[in-house]
Structure formats: structure tokens, C-alpha cells
């Protein structure tokens, strides 16, 4: 037990008893505020992280679905365009029965022009002149043959070319629409009917493009 006279107490003496002294403590309400703030920050952080994860998951699926839909639409549009182009190309190809073919022999072998013309006629082509080749080509065609037609006769020449593999296609300044088949030294025979029919079918009814088939 001790007697203390704190300053400013007017000289009065106060007695302090016991062996414990007061301790300075922070108010408890401040600690609660700090804990509340920390807990709120953690909760907000977790919520934000979860939201980002959901966005990534569903956003990725949505993007994939959208991309797949666009690919399918592209395939459909591309397939329609290719089908339209193939149809247009087939419509431009003339039928053998609309083509008149002159058959000329530029080789020393006899009878080739007549035999070839008869076979072409059986395959549906109209036959015009049959005989020896003009002087400009007589004995001068080394390949299987030459197919001649007027300018802008690309489609008719392609149709005739299905009957003679390896023939050279050329155009000249003629005014008519007749085509010439000039038999060359390497000629053995026309393409077999079966192979010619397959080539003609592919020419008039083209198969779908690989890209469209993949779709």
C-alpha cells in the first residue's frame, strides 16, 4: 500500500490499494470493424473469381457453339454456290446430238476417217464431211489427233474430246459451228464407249467439290 499525491489534485492524498495496475486496451469495437472489413474484402474477391470462372466456361462454350454454327452456315452457303456453278456448267455443255463433226485423216493409213466417223455417229454425234485432211494438216499431225472448232467453242470441243483421249484442242476463224476431228499418226482408236460415257457424264454432271463434301 502506498500514498501518492498526483499533481493537480490540490495536495490531497489518495490511497491506492492492491497489487494490480490498470492496463491500456484498444476499444473492442475497432477490432470488430477491422475484422468485418477484411471478411468483406475476402468475400468480394471470391465472388469476383467465381464470376470470372463462369464467364470463361460459358463464354467458351458459347463461342464454340457460335463458331460451329458459322461453319455449318458457311458449308451450306458454299455447297449451294458450288452446286449452282456445277449446274450452270452442265447446262452450258452441249449434247453430242447437237454437234456436227467433220472427220479427216492426216495419216497414210486408209479407212481411218470412215471407220471413226461411223463410230462417232453411233455415239450420237452428227457427221459432216469425211475424207483426207487439208494440206495444212496432212501428214503433219504427230499426236493422236487435233480437234478444231470456231472461236468461243470451248464447251463443244470439251464434249468431243471425251471421245479421243490425248487430242489437241484448237480454234480457228471459221464462221460455222462445225467441229473437225483430224486423225494423227499416234491414233489407234477412239476412247472406249464406257470410258467416253464416264468422261461425258462427269463433264455434264460435275461431282461436288471436295470442300463441300467435307462439310
Amino acid at each position: 500500500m502506498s500514498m501518492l499525491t498526483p499533481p493537480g489534485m490540490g495536495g490531497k492524498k489518495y490511497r491506492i490499494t492492491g497489487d494490480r495496475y490498470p492496463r491500456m486496451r484498444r476499444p473492442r469495437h475497432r477490432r470488430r470493424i477491422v475484422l468485418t472489413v477484411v471478411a468483406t474484402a475476402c468475400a468480394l474477391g471470391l465472388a469476383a473469381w467465381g464470376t470470372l470462372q463462369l464467364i470463361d466456361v460459358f463464354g467458351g462454350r458459347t463461342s464454340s457453339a457460335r463458331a460451329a454454327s458459322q461453319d455449318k452456315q458457311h458449308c451450306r452457303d458454299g455447297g449451294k454456290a458450288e452446286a449452282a456453278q456445277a449446274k450452270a456448267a452442265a447446262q452450258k455443255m452441249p449434247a453430242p446430238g447437237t454437234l456436227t463433226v467433220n472427220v479427216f485423216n492426216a495419216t497414210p493409213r486408209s479407212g481411218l476417217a470412215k471407220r471413226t466417223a461411223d463410230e462417232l455417229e453411233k455415239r450420237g454425234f452428227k457427221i459432216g464431211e469425211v475424207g483426207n485432211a487439208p494440206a495444212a494438216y496432212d501428214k503433219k499431225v504427230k499426236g493422236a489427233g487435233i480437234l478444231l472448232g470456231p472461236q468461243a467453242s470451248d464447251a463443244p470441243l470439251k464434249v468431243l474430246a471425251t471421245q479421243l483421249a490425248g487430242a489437241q484442242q484448237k480454234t480457228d476463224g471459221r464462221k460455222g459451228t462445225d467441229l473437225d476431228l483430224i486423225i494423227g499418226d499416234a491414233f489407234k482408236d477412239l476412247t472406249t464407249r464406257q470410258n467416253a460415257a464416264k468422261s461425258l457424264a462427269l463433264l455434264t454432271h460435275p461431282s461436288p467439290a471436295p470442300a463441300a463434301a467435307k462439310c
Side-chain angles (χ1 to χ4, degrees), residues 47-122:
W49 181 81
T51 302
L52 290 175
Q53 294 298 316
L54 291 175
I55 291 175
D56 289 340
V57 172
F58 291 101
R61 292 180 181 177
T62 302
S63 299
S64 300
R66 186 182 296 111
S69 177
Q70 291 175 350
D71 290 341
K72 290 181 180 179
Q73 184 64 34
H74 176 72
C75 289
R76 286 194 294 267
D77 294 342
K80 290 179 181 178
E82 290 167 357
Q85 292 176 356
K87 184 177 180 180
Q91 290 175 347
K92 293 179 181 179
M93 293 296 168
T98 63
L99 303 178
T100 299
V101 183
N102 304 315
V103 184
F104 299 116
N105 183 9
T107 75
R109 293 175 287 172
S110 61
L112 288 182
K114 180 65 168 63
R115 188 172 75 242
T116 302
D118 290 344
E119 181 61 26
L120 285 175
E121 188 174 22
K122 292 177 181 178

Side-chain angles (χ1 to χ4, degrees), residues 15-203:
R15 179 175 294 181
I16 298 176
T17 60
D19 56 356
R20 293 185 180 180
Y21 297 92
R23 296 179 180 179
M24 303 299 293
R25 296 181 180 178
R26 294 181 179 179
R28 293 185 178 181
H29 63 278
R30 292 184 180 178
R31 184 181 299 175
R32 292 178 181 177
I33 293 175
V34 172
L35 292 176
T36 302
V37 170
V38 172
T40 302
C42 293
L44 291 175
L46 290 174
W49 181 81
T51 302
L52 290 175
Q53 294 298 316
L54 291 175
I55 291 175
D56 289 340
V57 172
F58 291 101
R61 292 180 181 177
T62 302
S63 299
S64 300
R66 186 182 296 111
S69 177
Q70 291 175 350
D71 290 341
K72 290 181 180 179
Q73 184 64 34
H74 176 72
C75 289
R76 286 194 294 267
D77 294 342
K80 290 179 181 178
E82 290 167 357
Q85 292 176 356
K87 184 177 180 180
Q91 290 175 347
K92 293 179 181 179
M93 293 296 168
T98 63
L99 303 178
T100 299
V101 183
N102 304 315
V103 184
F104 299 116
N105 183 9
T107 75
R109 293 175 287 172
S110 61
L112 288 182
K114 180 65 168 63
R115 188 172 75 242
T116 302
D118 290 344
E119 181 61 26
L120 285 175
E121 188 174 22
K122 292 177 181 178
R123 298 184 184 188
F125 291 89
K126 294 180 179 179
I127 302 302
E129 298 181 35
V130 178
N132 294 326
Y137 295 98
D138 192 25
K139 310 297 189 302
K140 298 177 183 179
V141 180
K142 303 301 180 181
I146 295 177
L147 307 181
L148 278 175
Q151 295 180 354
S153 61
D154 183 64
L157 287 176
K158 285 183 177 180
V159 172
L160 182 57
T162 61
Q163 310 301 311
L164 181 56
Q168 182 182 4
Q169 300 179 36
K170 298 175 64 176
T171 60
D172 55 20
R174 69 184 64 190
K175 295 182 180 180
T177 59
D178 289 3
L179 305 178
D180 293 347
L181 189 156
I182 303 175
I183 300 172
D185 293 339
F187 177 85
K188 293 182 178 179
D189 204 346
L190 292 174
T191 304
T192 63
R193 286 194 180 189
Q194 183 178 5
N195 290 336
K198 290 180 179 179
S199 298
L200 187 60
L202 289 175
L203 188 64

